[in-house]
Amino acid sequence: MDDRAAGQLLPESPATPTQELVLVENVTKTFDYKDALKNISFAVPAGQICGLLGPNGAGKTTLFRLMMGILKATEGHIAIDGLDAFDDRVEVKRRIGFLPDEPVFYSYLTGREHLKLSAAMHGLDAEETFSRMEPLIARLRLADDIDNYAEDYSRGMKKKLGLLLAMLHQPRLLVLDEPTNGLDVESTHLFYSLIHDTAAQGVTVLFSTHLMDHVARLCTHAVVIQGGQLAAKGTLDELRALTGKDDLEEIFLALTARPAQA
């Protein structure tokens, strides 16, 4: 089966680039009198792929946790599809598929059982949902292991299962925290091929990564944060114009060396 055909999991819906699916306005998050994020503002247009870039400790994971309603912003506001990320977090979670950097599973459940349990938690028919997911399971090369216990999965297999769980309920937004950490070259290619095809079906994707070549190939937009503050935002061409550099790795190094925007 053709990889792209196998990935047609989500209903077709036209991308609307002018609509802001993710809106972050003047967000500050303070822990113990220290600002993990300070006055961050940016938007992600619907149907686009946006890279969230920054050095380790820049605040990327904190920002993702705010979007998921796990944390509440000290100041400012985050809207997902027009809903408040914290106040409307139950409904927001129905519209977001989240893949953490280190997904955690029940060791005594198989991959299949995890998918069926998640389907039931989303109010979906478990058997019908698993049947709908089977082409995607095959595309991610997980079919031979789907009935094995999660405790026996490698790190890469856990990432694949985590991505399946993130996509299971057909979200409007995928939030992926370092999605290819620990993956081999083939699995990384499968992940990013799927992300590309998913966005082509109208799903918005926001992901963090340290792999600049993948950002250059996949992303339409990028947000760069440094020390919890915004360093730059915009299309890749706008970032090139801002720094006067063409290579994305050089752009990243230039932006993270600059004083963050006020």
Side-chain angles (χ1 to χ4, degrees), residues 4 17 19 26 37 45-46 53 59 69 71 77 79 81 88 123 127 160 175 185 192 206 216 222-223 229 247 257:
R4 291 180 182 269
Q19 179 186 350
N26 304 315
L37 295 171
L53 313 178
L71 298 174
H77 174 256
D81 204 15
D88 302 315
E127 292 295 337
K160 292 177 182 180
V175 175
V185 173
Y192 283 130
L206 176 63
V223 174
Q229 298 186 62
D247 180 78

Side-chain angles (χ1 to χ4, degrees), residues 35-215:
D35 291 333
L37 295 171
K38 185 175 181 180
N39 199 32
I40 297 280
S41 295
F42 66 89
V44 181
Q48 305 298 297
I49 303 177
C50 180
L52 180 62
L53 313 178
N56 290 335
K60 302 186 296 296
T61 297
T62 297
L63 184 55
F64 282 158
R65 295 178 73 189
L66 289 166
M67 288 181 182
M68 292 297 299
I70 300 170
L71 298 174
K72 181 178 176 62
T74 306
E75 297 178 14
H77 174 256
I78 297 178
I80 306 294
D81 204 15
L83 300 171
D84 185 277
F86 188 81
D87 293 343
D88 302 315
R89 57 192 177 276
V90 173
E91 179 59 33
V92 165
K93 287 177 182 176
R94 295 190 179 104
R95 305 186 187 202
I96 295 181
F98 179 54
L99 174 63
D101 182 20
E102 296 288 349
V104 177
F105 304 105
Y106 295 107
S107 60
Y108 53 87
L109 294 183
T110 67
R112 182 189 299 266
E113 289 168 338
H114 276 94
L115 290 169
K116 290 187 175 182
L117 175 62
S118 182
M121 292 175 67
H122 281 289
L124 304 172
D125 182 273
E127 292 295 337
E128 288 182 4
T129 302
F130 187 84
S131 294
R132 172 170 54 79
M133 296 291 290
E134 283 187 300
L136 191 53
I137 294 169
R139 179 172 179 175
L140 289 175
R141 313 287 196 263
L142 203 59
D144 291 342
D145 299 290
I146 200 66
D147 289 310
N148 294 339
Y149 289 115
E151 68 175 354
D152 296 326
Y153 279 18
S154 67
R155 187 182 186 191
M157 292 163 65
K158 288 179 179 179
K159 286 278 188 157
K160 292 177 182 180
L161 180 58
L163 183 60
L164 291 170
L165 292 169
M167 298 183 69
L168 175 142
H169 57 295
Q170 300 179 302
R172 294 201 60 191
L173 171 67
L174 277 178
V175 175
L176 313 174
D177 193 358
E178 299 286 352
T180 59
N181 260 3
L183 296 186
D184 58 27
V185 173
E186 179 189 24
S187 295
T188 297
H189 172 76
L190 289 172
F191 256 61
Y192 283 130
S193 173
L194 180 57
I195 289 171
H196 177 275
D197 293 351
T198 300
Q201 296 174 51
V203 178
T204 306
V205 181
L206 176 63
F207 74 95
S208 64
T209 183
H210 292 97
L211 303 174
M212 295 298 109
D213 57 329
H214 294 144
V215 174

Side-chain angles (χ1 to χ4, degrees), residues 10 18 115 162 217 233 248:
L10 300 162
T18 58
L115 290 169
R217 289 204 305 263
K233 60 183 177 181
L248 194 58

